[in-house]
Amino acid sequence: MSALALGPIGPAVAATPTSGSVTDTSRSVQWTAGPFVTPNVTGTAGDVVCGPGLCDDFRLHVTTPAGYGSSHQLTVKVAWPQAAADFDVYLLDASGAVVASAASSSDPEVMVVPPTSGDYTVRVVPFAPLGQSITGTATLTDVPPNPAPSTATPPTYSQYGAPETFRRAHDAGEPSIGSSHRTGATFYQALYETYRATWDDSVSPAKVTWSNASATAANGCATGGTTSLDPIGFTDPTTGRVFESQLAGKTSLMCYSDDDGKTWAPSQGGGLNSGVDHQTVGGGPYPAGVGPLPTSAYPHAVYYCSQDIADASCAASRDGGVTFGPAVPMYSLLDCGGLHGHVKVAPDGTVYVPNKGCGGNQAVAVSEDGGTTWALRKHPASTAGDSDPSVGIGANGTVYLGYQAADGTARVAVSRDKGRTWTDDQNVGAALGVANVVFPAVVAGDDDRASFAFLGTTTPGNYQDATNFRGEWHLYVATTYDGGKSWVTVDTTPSDPVQRGSICTGGTTCGNDRNLLDFMDATVDKAGRVEVGYADGCTGACAQPGGAQNFDAYATIARQQTGNTLYAAFDRLPNLTPTTLTATKVKGSFVVASTLANTGTAVAKAATLRLLVDGVAVATSAPSDLAPGGSRTVTFPAVKLDTGRHTVLVVADPANTVRESNESDNKRSIVVVR
């Protein structure tokens, strides 16, 4: 829903036709309605109230055979000519219950649901119609195929809750998280509070030490802890500079710290003419041809982006966030809905801000010149969602876009040309049966590695229905180690739900099921471990089997404990080496034996050892796994040798199929004389 100028009151024209059907043999139906001139904003205060000219209903009958839903879906799309207008769409079943809704500011609005046979009503609500007419379509579409899930070993995670002594530990909705690679500290920002977590990784799971590093007047931030319309935090991993920002209308109250939150200094907070809502702060290297002000030694650019009434804009700082230039529009509401995700900066200085609804697609606003100009680049195969998308950017610039699709599922796509084209779009929750997700948060490390965190539930249906939705939500993290070709997804809270029942993403129109607010965040530490900052909405008795939802917002970090991280340099790897080699003469032949050892820190899958005599392959052992620290003796079939000197060589992993920590110690040889 958008707050736009409202037109005069008047009647709306009914749908033409008023009803239609779709079947597996006649898969699409279309209707029109309008023009609409009377706004209906009753949904901002609760349930939508209909009356003459305030709603338009199209009766839809769906007939599909048994099993049809395994490979098909029902897609309902409502579009209008002028993007500045805004319509909301609801799908009601025969009892009048809301099955799905699309109430963003996207044009078109799209709903995707299972193609269950039955009678439905497509209800169009003119939130800000501006005299527009709508065109609706209902189509039975094919479910996009998903590639096979990754065969990588799933990483594991541990959960760390903030100390109960922190005064706002249970008031930590929509947190930000960042990691200083300079000091190893993690920073969790929610409302006025900045919490610092330091880690002892000499034990497993790691031990955490929490400190309250919040900005206050006493430690240098005159505006710290006083007022906020929206909080946001950002930690530059390279420099270690920590920012905390509190929205204050057309700017923010911002301070920064260079000593892990011990002391703080004030910032201008944002650029002239910045937006009034949904701010985000980020930073990173400058693009080629752009650099810091002559008066600044700080090496990175800092960006403050926010949404306004008619557009969204970004302001750039060239002195480390002390001051900002004027805000520059990224897009207008004719292009996209105003709300956007968090700003991220690539290693080459390219800046990305994702958006959940740009003409019915997910998109990224991209600047390649330090925030001076912006281009909007859509992912055309995507559908708009209700939660802000997120991007992670690999070491060589590969962009991973994680988003909630129109059907509620968790999807991710990859771009290797700065958002101009997208590949490998897939549902990363499908293997675990995840039906609905909220709060995408993506982070990347090496160019071919990224993680996508989200809250998810295996319960289908309208997850914003506070009365009827009974799903149990968990924190999931999906990880790719092959550039987005495949993903391995884990439930990091399998026995401890993050929320029970509904989660509302409708902003200020919500009830107490908006306890988690609008987003969460993810970061990567200096060793490549993924860390997710989230608010736990189900604590105490709620977390016990059958417990009642208590609508908490408890500051919590999920931190990777085992498995390969997002930096390959820190992988636990096997190391295959032949440690002994003998050739024993037996009845005119030689029997060769060798000990194959794994001196690494991970299992060597399907390890083999090959025997060569005078450079000619003679035999290869059967493949078998070898545990770290383990060894086995391989005895090859007897070999007959001619008279003279012969070189006997064994080679571990001869086909080079096992990635090892040391590839230079795979051979051992001896000389035998017959």
Side-chain angles (χ1 to χ4, degrees), residues 566-607:
L566 298 189
Y567 296 144
F570 295 92
D571 284 357
R572 297 174 65 87
L573 295 173
N575 186 55
L576 293 171
T577 184
T579 57
T580 67
L581 176 60
T582 61
T584 305
K585 189 174 182 180
V586 179
K587 296 181 180 180
S589 298
F590 286 85
V591 175
V592 177
S594 178
T595 301
L596 177 63
N598 178 3
T599 61
T601 57
V603 174
K605 297 285 189 180

Side-chain angles (χ1 to χ4, degrees), residues 320-336:
V322 179
T323 64
F324 287 83
V328 175
M330 296 183 290
Y331 54 80
S332 76
L333 292 190
L334 298 179
D335 306 307
C336 303

Side-chain angles (χ1 to χ4, degrees), residues 128-154:
L130 304 182
Q132 295 290 290
S133 297
I134 63 95
T135 298
T137 57
T139 307
L140 294 172
T141 56
D142 297 332
V143 174
N146 232 34
S150 172
T151 58
T153 301

Side-chain angles (χ1 to χ4, degrees), residues 21 32 120 162 194 205 311 315 375 493 537 579 653 668 670:
S21 300
T32 60
Y120 299 89
T194 306
D311 61 15
T493 58
T579 57
D653 187 32
R668 182 173 287 270
I670 58 174

Side-chain angles (χ1 to χ4, degrees), residues 253-276:
L253 307 176
M254 184 188 296
C255 290
Y256 64 90
S257 173
D258 287 323
D259 57 9
D260 280 0
K262 297 180 182 66
T263 62
W264 295 81
S267 159
Q268 178 186 342
L272 292 175
N273 201 37
S274 290
V276 299

Side-chain angles (χ1 to χ4, degrees), residues 214-602:
S214 300
T216 65
N219 60 18
C221 182
T223 60
T226 57
T227 185
S228 180
L229 297 175
D230 249 343
I232 203 76
F234 166 67
T235 301
D236 188 311
T238 303
T239 68
R241 180 165 287 188
V242 183
F243 295 85
E244 68 91 32
S245 169
Q246 308 295 338
L247 185 67
K250 296 280 284 183
T251 186
S252 80
L253 307 176
M254 184 188 296
C255 290
Y256 64 90
S257 173
D258 287 323
D259 57 9
D260 280 0
K262 297 180 182 66
T263 62
W264 295 81
S267 159
Q268 178 186 342
L272 292 175
N273 201 37
S274 290
V276 299
D277 191 21
H278 219 65
Q279 93 277 30
T280 175
V281 180
Y286 287 99
V290 182
L293 296 174
T295 56
S296 176
Y298 190 78
H300 284 175
V302 179
Y303 299 91
Y304 177 86
C305 308
S306 52
Q307 167 217 347
D308 216 330
I309 301 300
D311 61 15
S313 61
C314 270
S317 172
R318 295 175 60 191
D319 59 6
V322 179
T323 64
F324 287 83
V328 175
M330 296 183 290
Y331 54 80
S332 76
L333 292 190
L334 298 179
D335 306 307
C336 303
L339 298 182
H340 49 71
H342 292 173
V343 59
K344 301 284 184 73
V345 181
D348 70 351
T350 303
V351 188
Y352 297 87
V353 178
N355 190 288
K356 64 186 177 184
C358 300
N361 301 125
Q362 309 278 332
V364 287
V366 183
S367 177
E368 299 181 59
D369 56 10
T372 301
T373 61
W374 293 82
L376 187 65
R377 295 169 184 167
K378 299 179 182 180
H379 172 26
S382 66
T383 54
D386 285 328
S387 261
D388 295 333
S390 178
V391 295
I393 307 160
N396 293 329
T398 294
V399 179
Y400 299 87
L401 173 66
Y403 66 96
Q404 176 211 51
D407 63 354
T409 57
R411 300 194 69 89
V412 64
V414 182
S415 177
R416 295 172 178 83
D417 56 6
K418 302 184 179 183
R420 293 178 177 87
T421 61
W422 298 90
T423 63
D424 302 302
D425 189 300
Q426 57 192 281
N427 179 353
V428 298
L432 298 184
V434 179
N436 281 303
V437 303
V438 293
F439 307 160
V442 182
V443 65
D446 291 343
D447 207 52
D448 59 351
R449 298 189 176 197
S451 288
F452 174 16
F454 52 88
L455 299 187
T457 175
T458 56
T459 302
N462 180 13
Y463 66 84
Q464 299 195 68
D465 184 346
T467 302
N468 300 304
F469 190 77
R470 295 291 182 266
E472 185 176 286
W473 298 80
H474 292 253
L475 173 65
Y476 294 84
V477 179
T479 301
T480 182
Y481 298 101
D482 58 9
K485 299 295 183 184
S486 63
W487 297 76
V488 56
T489 303
V490 296
D491 180 351
T492 76
T493 58
S495 59
D496 185 4
V498 176
Q499 183 96 335
R500 295 186 189 274
S502 59
I503 294 179
C504 185
T505 55
T508 57
T509 66
C510 299
N512 58 2
D513 57 350
R514 193 179 174 243
N515 52 310
L516 307 179
L517 299 181
D518 293 333
F519 57 81
M520 64 183 191
D521 201 6
T523 190
V524 58
D525 77 0
K526 62 183 180 181
R529 300 180 190 89
V530 175
E531 297 175 341
V532 183
Y534 69 100
D536 188 351
C538 178
T539 59
C542 173
Q544 303 306 311
Q549 174 62 31
N550 63 336
F551 301 105
D552 203 351
Y554 179 41
T556 309
I557 295 174
R559 188 171 190 259
Q560 184 178 350
Q561 293 298 330
T562 67
N564 287 343
T565 74
L566 298 189
Y567 296 144
F570 295 92
D571 284 357
R572 297 174 65 87
L573 295 173
N575 186 55
L576 293 171
T577 184
T579 57
T580 67
L581 176 60
T582 61
T584 305
K585 189 174 182 180
V586 179
K587 296 181 180 180
S589 298
F590 286 85
V591 175
V592 177
S594 178
T595 301
L596 177 63
N598 178 3
T599 61
T601 57

Side-chain angles (χ1 to χ4, degrees), residues 30 171 394 651:
Q30 178 175 297
D171 189 14
V651 180

